[in-house]
Amino acid sequence: MAKPIPSGLVAYVNARLLDPATGLDAKGAVLVNGESIADVGPGLFQGGVPSGIEVVDCAGLCLAPGLVDMRVQVREPGEEHKETLKSAGEAAVAGGITSMVCLPNTDPIMDEVATVEFVARRARKNGLAKVYPYAAATKKLEGRELSEMGFLQEAGALAFTDGIKAIADSQIMRRALSYAATFGALIVQHAEDPALAGSGVMNAGERATRMGLSGIPPEAEVIMLERDMRLVAMTGGRYHAAHVSTAEGIEVIRKAKAKGLAVTCDTAPPYFALNELEVHNYRTFAKLSPPLRAESDRLAVIAGLHDGTIDAIASDHAPQDEDAKRQTFAAAEFGGIGLETLLAATLSLVHGDSLKLLDALRLLTCSPADVLGLSAGRLKMGAAADLVVFDPDRGWLVDPTKFKSKSKNSPFDGRPMQGVVLRTVVDGRTVHCV
């Protein structure tokens, strides 16, 4: 007698399976049972899908692990007019992101257990992309006194950072790395010397001079990274540099890795897809932190992604409302949204022959998950059924007015892209489908 078919079984068939963690790239199927992957592989269901199992025909399109975005500003609590956990979750799943990690620069700041627990609880209630919090490395993000890292980690903080601020004081950074090392925690740095960056608003150089704008020199990133590498060597701590943007900064990290230091880094799509020329006509959507750099830096970012120096690509989602961007360039706020363009912007590296498809997806899935100690980003039996089905070749035009994000400040506004997310699955539930 045949065994009964459990309810809640879903078969994703006729898919191009892509699992960067194992190198799998083959036509096959995935069987989901409830919240988990029950089976996966190229030989699955070759004889047909048994009756009683729901079937989703992927029509030969790509099926990969859901994306893991390790740098997102959700603005809740405190600035819900720019973004909420719900709107950020909707934007994330529309972009194929099933796990995202949010910065602690909320109001109140995530430097106490109650705030960390609030964010985790609200995210679970929404039932969209999974949200994991960073906690503040220093109290009130002021860079003067360390937060209670041990308690915050117990409350669910994945790592510690002062968000969009650098931990500028060398002694404080030394203590942060040493303290975090005692329980294996990661320090995430916005690598920009605030004294050198000063009141700068774009990349320093000839263009900034011609436009009459104050510049942020690449050395602001480089000097901070050079200092931090010495502190990592001194303390034995774990260190991650966020959104690296300069050729020399990437070289600093490359050399540190060659020495065996526990150092990782990420970048964001604007730094490999755009350069400082985007600031023409004082376009405030192109005002980012760090700033868009020279073409030589953009090419160096691509080289760093290709050779493995850069470990991950994050959206660096920083929503701003109209009032914050409808200012003079000097007065406008920094930041751009990126959840709904993360996959397509990364696929531009594939279409441009800079990366192979599996390598590009690795930077969005298992690699950021490994940096953060998450089990996400893998197609394997027993793993959470977090999946994305996408067409890597379908073209579209970036129109932020159609985005799920509450804010519309995309640096890619009006640009053509390739790569459309058709279905996103979180814990076995379809949360986005077109």
Side-chain angles (χ1 to χ4, degrees), residues 258-324:
K259 292 178 181 177
L261 297 182
V263 173
T264 52
C265 68
D266 69 71
T267 193
Y271 305 112
F272 61 74
L274 306 173
N275 63 28
E276 62 184 349
L277 298 180
E278 295 297 317
V279 180
H280 70 91
N281 296 328
Y282 300 90
R283 183 170 170 265
T284 60
F285 279 16
K287 184 179 180 181
L288 307 177
S289 177
L292 294 173
R293 302 289 188 183
E295 177 65 6
S296 57
D297 293 304
R298 186 186 75 84
L299 295 174
V301 171
I302 294 175
L305 292 166
H306 185 267
D307 69 16
T309 300
I310 301 174
D311 300 271
I313 297 172
S315 72
D316 209 4
H317 183 74
Q320 301 287 0
D321 60 8
E322 281 191 29
D323 290 342

Side-chain angles (χ1 to χ4, degrees), residues 12 25 105 115 135 356:
Y12 294 83
D25 182 352
N105 58 322
T115 315
K356 294 180 180 178

Side-chain angles (χ1 to χ4, degrees), residues 343-380:
L343 178 60
T346 302
L347 288 175
S348 71
L349 297 168
V350 178
H351 296 303
D353 295 325
S354 296
L355 289 178
K356 294 180 180 178
L357 181 55
L358 276 181
D359 293 332
L361 289 174
R362 181 178 295 108
L363 294 159
L364 298 171
T365 56
C366 59
S367 187
D370 289 346
V371 169
L372 296 167
L374 293 173
S375 59
R378 287 164 167 79
L379 288 184
K380 67 176 183 179

